[in-house]
Amino acid sequence: LDCTIRDGGLINNHNFDHRFVREVYKALSEAKVDYMEIGYKNSKKLFSTKDYGIWKFCEDADIRKVIDGIESETKISVMVDVDRVDIADIKPRKESPVAMIRVASYVKDIDKAIYLVNHFADKGYETTVNIMAVSRALDNELTEALQQLEKECKAQIIYIVDSNGALYQETTEFLIKKAKSILKTKEVGIHAHNNQELAFANTTEALIYGASCADSSIAGLGRGAGNCRTELLIGFLRNPKYKLRPLIQ
């Protein structure tokens, strides 16, 4: 999953123009990347449209303006934050260009995340829970959250998110193995940040130990130190499905 526009939007208040986002979508489509996360679905009651660009809100009309006319198998994803989304704004899947909704949550809010995910799943969307700032979560609290997600949540994927870019390979291995041991009916994902120049290393480590979903962004564009680079990850995977050249161009 490429999150260039969503995570990159955190450094420019989501003020990418349609042309730029369309070019990213075109490149990702040619590269055969599975998902493009195009922004947040945040409530306009909480955030001003004067202060934030259109990808803070991801109206269906704006998404269609980007993707229409481009032949693509790349699915569109949006992210919502716990307590920052108006669920009435989310149309049923069959009426929207969005395929996947990802719910970002801290461990302490996992109840709220489960409520949101189950609601979106019932509307027909693919769903994930992204457990943020995992390096700051207490081990017993993370264990309880994972157990609750396994029992109560309809999300297909649970992401371990290194929001602070604090993990080393050993901790990444530990967390992925823990998640895999508890989440018997779900996939495990990794979202790494590059504060220690380890986003790529930690992402590959997570894949080696059983994660099957990985976030990245073109040139590592993202909040703070940025993310794992999409072009590095595709080079590592050596899967003939993916094409590197469109991303470099």
Side-chain angles (χ1 to χ4, degrees), residues 36-51:
M36 171 179 168
E37 192 157 68
I38 203 164
Y40 285 93
K41 191 72 177 175
N42 280 327
S43 172
K44 291 183 179 178
K45 298 172 186 175
L46 299 176
F47 298 96
S48 168
T49 54
K50 295 179 181 178
D51 296 332

Side-chain angles (χ1 to χ4, degrees), residues 131-148:
I131 305 175
M132 296 190 293
V134 71
S135 62
R136 300 180 65 182
L138 295 177
D139 186 59
N140 64 312
E141 292 179 350
L142 180 60
T143 298
E144 291 173 7
L146 291 169
Q147 290 170 341
Q148 190 174 355

